């Protein structure tokens, strides 16, 4: 399950979470990502994990056959619903992305932004196995996450015995939260996914990377 510390950080910070997308230094990356994600998910029946405020949900809704956007943080889902997206295409639901139910539904694609960084390195293999078991062969998996940028990203506060890295983030309530944020290299992503996925592609931008593959 998602940790209490992580859930509390996102709950407190929900109202201002999208400020990261207002950073001019990220505009070129975001323009490129919007085009790539739209192309990848066009016509798909999409399950979105950790949808947050619905920033990417809105883009996906323009191209997908349908999207079920989920998050474990009620405050995030409440903000996502305020986007008033077409309810014939978009539905919302509370879901712990680390603990998927057996009856998760039928989808042709799974999308998650800012999620892989929060999965412990030692749990990643088990997580990919879970996705394959839940969704089956040939389902498209698309992962969008942040790259570490010197001078821009929050400095790494510590690294644990398994190689997971942590940052100290200050939320809107003034409290400081230790949040696990892993920044894998392309080779590490490919190595982790190769036993369970094919057609692995990693697009590395300045502030983000986009991974797509087919579960096998």
């Amino acid at each position: 399950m998602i940790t209490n510390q992580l859930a509390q950080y996102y709950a407190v910070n929900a109202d201002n979470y999208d400020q990261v997308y207002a950073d001019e230094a990220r505009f070129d990356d975001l323009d490129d990502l919007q085009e790539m994600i739209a192309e990848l998910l066009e016509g798909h029946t999409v399950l979105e994990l950790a949808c947050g405020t619905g920033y990417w949900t809105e883009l996906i809704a323009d191209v997908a056959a349908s999207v079920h956007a989920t998050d474990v943080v009620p405050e995030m889902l409440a903000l996502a619903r305020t986007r008033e997206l077409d309810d014939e295409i978009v539905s919302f639901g509370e879901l712990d992305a680390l603990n998927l139910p057996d009856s998760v539904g039928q989808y042709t694609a799974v999308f998650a932004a800012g999620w892989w960084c929060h999965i412990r390195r030692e749990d990643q293999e088990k997580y990919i196995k879970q996705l394959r078991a839940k969704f089956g062969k040939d389902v498209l998996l698309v992962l969008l996450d942040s790259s570490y940028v010197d001078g821009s990203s929050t400095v790494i506060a510590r690294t644990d015995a398994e190689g997971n890295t942590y940052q100290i983030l200050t939320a809107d309530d003034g409290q400081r939260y230790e949040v696990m944020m892993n920044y894998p290299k392309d080779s590490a992503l490919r190595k982790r996914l190769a036993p369970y996925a094919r057609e692995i592609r990693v697009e590395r931008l300045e502030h983000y990377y986009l991974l797509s593959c087919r579960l096998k």
Side-chain angles (χ1 to χ4, degrees):
M1 295 177 64
I2 190 171
T3 65
N4 290 335
Q5 179 105 166
L6 183 62
Q8 185 176 358
Y9 170 76
Y10 280 120
V12 170
N13 235 37
D15 286 339
N16 291 315
Y17 181 76
D18 283 356
Q19 285 183 356
V20 66
Y21 300 123
D23 179 3
E24 290 187 11
R26 297 173 182 259
F27 285 177
D28 287 345
D29 279 11
L30 292 171
D31 285 345
D32 290 343
L33 286 168
Q34 288 168 2
E35 289 184 13
M36 289 187 285
I37 291 169
E39 183 177 350
L40 283 167
L41 297 179
E42 184 174 5
H44 277 282
T45 301
V46 181
L47 173 65
E48 184 180 7
L49 302 174
C51 71
T53 65
Y55 178 91
W56 295 105
T57 313
E58 189 165 5
L59 168 71
I60 297 168
D62 286 339
V63 298
S66 67
V67 53
H68 182 51
T70 67
D71 205 291
V72 74
V73 180
E75 290 85 350
M76 287 290 196
L77 279 175
L79 287 171
R81 288 188 172 101
T82 66
R83 294 181 183 271
E84 298 182 351
L85 304 178
D86 186 345
D87 58 12
E88 292 187 3
I89 296 175
V90 181
S91 59
F92 293 98
E94 190 168 324
L95 181 70
D96 183 349
L98 276 180
N99 189 25
L100 299 173
D102 291 334
S103 57
V104 68
Q106 296 285 328
Y107 301 94
T108 63
V110 177
F111 174 81
W115 173 239
W116 186 254
C117 61
H118 296 315
I119 302 176
R120 294 181 181 278
R121 287 160 55 99
E122 60 270 31
D123 293 335
Q124 290 171 357
E125 181 176 355
K126 180 174 68 176
Y127 189 70
I128 292 297
K129 285 182 178 179
Q130 178 187 176
L131 291 182
R132 188 176 63 177
K134 301 290 185 183
F135 300 109
K137 182 180 177 182
D138 293 330
V139 165
L140 176 67
L141 174 64
V142 180
L143 300 175
L144 166 62
D145 227 309
S146 297
S147 299
Y148 187 86
V149 180
D150 285 329
S152 176
S153 301
T154 303
V155 297
I156 301 300
R158 73 177 179 94
T159 304
D160 67 18
E162 300 295 335
N164 298 294
T165 52
Y166 298 80
Q167 295 171 328
I168 304 298
L169 305 179
T170 302
D172 292 342
D173 62 356
Q175 297 295 315
R176 287 156 58 86
Y177 295 84
E178 183 182 71
V179 175
M180 184 178 67
M181 293 284 291
N182 287 320
Y183 297 94
K185 296 181 179 179
D186 292 5
S187 57
L189 288 165
R190 292 179 183 279
K191 182 178 180 180
R192 184 67 75 197
L193 289 166
Y196 313 103
R198 58 183 175 83
E199 300 175 23
I200 301 170
R201 296 182 176 88
V202 183
E203 296 284 349
R204 182 72 63 166
L205 307 178
E206 182 179 1
H207 294 275
Y208 300 95
Y209 68 85
L210 183 69
L211 181 147
S212 63
C213 62
R214 293 273 182 181
L215 299 178
K216 66 180 183 180

